[in-house]
Amino acid sequence: MIKQHLARAYKSISVVVPSADRAPFFKSLMIRPDRDLVFVRVPKAGCSTVIARLIDMPPEATENTQRLHARNSLVTFDNSKFVARLRQLSEDSTTLFAVVRNPLTRVLSAFREKIELQIDGPRYRQEFGIALDALVSFEEFVDLLVQRDPLTLDMHFMPQSLILRPDLVRYKHLFHLETGMTECLRWLDDYLNHSGVGAEALVAPHATNASSLAKNVYSTKILEIVAKYYADDFRYFGYAPDLEDLSPRLALQMPGNTAVRALSMGAFNTMDSRLRGLMPMLLHRH
């Protein structure tokens, strides 16, 4: 009898998380509480602009990045209502969408913001074992990066294909940052019945000018290394590892056909939700 009680008590507080290969996807979902609209957030790929639209934040208020990313009304993985809201989604009518970016400029932008400029503090340098006062080149950083298992990386550096799982999940819309942000914003405004915002109202609190710097930063050696490490991103999302044309020009390869609601994740309980709410930093919520 005592063993049975102990077993039930342990089960009630045990933390069950998604399998490692699916955790980035679920931790990146942002669900509108009032509609079956789900955004899969990819850091360094226009997510601030999209989130501002999703939470109806006026352009003049978007300097408050804390509210924009961590204190908004969207239902996310660290919200106690996440599992219930996910299960409420319709398999057929839910709109799942994302924005992707050329891997060459995305990783350079992440390096500039998190490593070179240290805009969000020292933790990203610490993750790669880089001294806080050290001068580190992009080439030196790439050498450190490619030694890591991609699934162990912070989401800013993780391949987009591991976050979005286009091999598993069915998307309604996939937009490219380089050519499709205006289309994305106009579609969102129409979907959400917004008016007067304007597709030109882009939000870029962490802009790093990576696109204009890429040609001067990438050597042939670095280009080949990055292209190999992010090979699935190039293949799935229509990009070529070519500095002369950073826009997508190849066909999308996205075979996933599973509805987001139907994708297996694992069982969660109240204690799980509470722990997730207390530890956003461990769940890549920045």
Side-chain angles (χ1 to χ4, degrees):
M1 181 64 70
I2 294 178
K3 288 184 177 181
Q4 290 177 341
H5 284 297
L6 289 175
R8 282 197 293 269
Y10 177 79
K11 185 176 181 180
S12 70
I13 65 171
S14 63
V15 178
V16 183
V17 298
S19 59
D21 63 326
R22 297 186 182 186
F25 172 76
F26 286 106
K27 293 174 184 178
S28 301
L29 296 183
M30 310 189 87
I31 309 173
R32 279 273 300 208
D34 57 338
R35 297 174 183 244
D36 283 358
L37 179 66
V38 185
F39 174 52
V40 190
R41 172 182 175 267
V42 175
K44 307 307 300 177
C47 59
S48 294
T49 296
V50 175
I51 293 170
R53 281 301 212 280
L54 287 173
I55 64 175
D56 306 320
M57 178 183 280
E60 62 271 16
T62 53
E63 291 185 3
N64 186 346
T65 56
Q66 182 72 7
R67 179 189 165 197
L68 189 64
H69 288 282
R71 295 178 182 173
N72 57 57
S73 59
L74 302 174
V75 180
T76 54
F77 185 78
D78 56 356
N79 188 307
S80 61
K81 299 178 181 178
F82 177 75
V83 175
R85 183 70 187 92
L86 188 64
R87 289 172 178 165
Q88 290 171 356
L89 295 173
S90 166
E91 287 199 26
D92 299 322
S93 61
T94 293
T95 298
L96 185 74
F97 76 103
V99 179
V100 294
R101 182 178 186 176
N102 190 307
L104 298 177
T105 55
R106 179 173 175 262
V107 69
L108 176 57
S109 181
F111 163 76
R112 290 265 297 146
E113 179 189 346
K114 306 301 182 185
I115 305 298
E116 187 176 35
L117 303 176
Q118 300 186 65
I119 289 176
D120 292 308
R123 69 185 180 97
Y124 296 97
R125 282 192 169 226
Q126 292 168 345
E127 179 179 337
F128 288 97
I130 302 171
L132 302 187
D133 58 351
L135 294 176
V136 56
S137 68
F138 183 57
E139 181 173 1
E140 291 169 330
F141 171 73
V142 168
D143 286 339
L144 293 173
L145 174 72
V146 298
Q147 295 176 39
R148 293 278 300 274
D149 177 345
L151 276 172
T152 68
L153 294 172
D154 178 88
M155 299 262 193
H156 290 83
F157 304 98
M158 185 180 291
Q160 296 164 94
S161 52
L162 292 182
I163 299 173
L164 298 178
R165 295 310 304 264
D167 56 322
L168 294 176
V169 186
R170 180 174 68 245
Y171 283 82
K172 181 76 171 181
H173 297 287
L174 186 82
F175 300 96
H176 294 93
L177 180 70
E178 298 81 6
T179 60
M181 280 306 291
T182 297
E183 178 189 359
C184 174
L185 297 180
R186 286 176 176 164
W187 165 75
L188 262 182
D189 287 344
D190 182 63
Y191 186 96
L192 298 172
N193 298 316
H194 287 166
S195 61
V197 179
E200 70 281 357
L202 301 178
V203 180
H206 306 301
T208 62
N209 299 316
S211 296
S212 61
L213 295 173
K215 284 187 179 181
N216 295 325
V217 172
Y218 273 95
S219 64
T220 301
K221 174 188 173 184
I222 304 175
L223 180 64
E224 292 175 351
I225 293 172
V226 170
K228 182 178 180 180
Y229 194 72
Y230 292 99
D232 284 344
D233 284 4
F234 287 101
R235 177 168 61 90
Y236 282 123
F237 306 128
Y239 293 103
D242 181 2
L243 291 170
E244 296 301 322
D245 187 359
L246 296 169
S247 300
R249 60 179 190 269
L250 305 174
L252 292 172
Q253 302 290 335
M254 301 184 65
N257 197 37
T258 303
V260 59
R261 181 187 183 278
L263 189 66
S264 175
M265 174 179 58
F268 293 89
N269 53 43
T270 303
M271 181 60 74
D272 297 331
S273 299
R274 182 169 298 178
L275 288 172
R276 291 201 303 276
L278 292 174
M279 299 187 296
M281 293 290 286
L282 297 180
L283 300 173
H284 306 300
R285 276 300 319 282
H286 178 77

